[in-house]
Amino acid sequence: MTHNHRAGRTAEATRMRDGEQPAPGEPPAARPPAAPPRPLTGAQAVVQVLLEQGVEYVFGIPGGAVLPLYDAMYDAPLRHVLVRH
């Protein structure tokens, strides 16, 4: 294995970065471990289940204790219907 001192990379790492395969007999370049997935909040889990169940409309009154749920719904393709009491 050769080392490119100027770039601080092995020739193998440079080839792999450029999409080339390692030379025969040369081990593949080590990849950094993937970051573990972040756990869902309760509100994110609720939105995920609503979407999995095919829910299109959500009825409610935003505020107080349900604000995290509304935050999680912000980017979801759910339609909110504001109800009054």
Side-chain angles (χ1 to χ4, degrees), residues 69-80:
L69 181 56
Y70 280 85
D71 289 339
M73 289 187 331
Y74 185 77
D75 290 324
L78 296 168
R79 302 276 315 227
H80 180 263

Side-chain angles (χ1 to χ4, degrees), residues 11-23 26-29 31:
E12 175 193 4
T14 302
R15 282 194 313 274
M16 294 303 288
R17 182 195 70 218
D18 295 337
E20 296 179 27
Q21 297 298 318
E26 204 171 292
R31 292 193 172 114

Side-chain angles (χ1 to χ4, degrees), residues 8-85:
R9 294 182 175 269
T10 64
E12 175 193 4
T14 302
R15 282 194 313 274
M16 294 303 288
R17 182 195 70 218
D18 295 337
E20 296 179 27
Q21 297 298 318
E26 204 171 292
R31 292 193 172 114
R38 297 183 75 189
L40 293 177
T41 65
Q44 291 168 331
V46 168
V47 170
Q48 181 177 339
V49 170
L50 290 173
L51 294 172
E52 288 172 358
Q53 293 299 314
V55 173
E56 296 178 25
Y57 294 91
V58 177
F59 299 83
I61 302 172
V66 296
L67 281 180
L69 181 56
Y70 280 85
D71 289 339
M73 289 187 331
Y74 185 77
D75 290 324
L78 296 168
R79 302 276 315 227
H80 180 263
V81 178
L82 180 64
V83 296
R84 308 240 177 202
H85 56 82

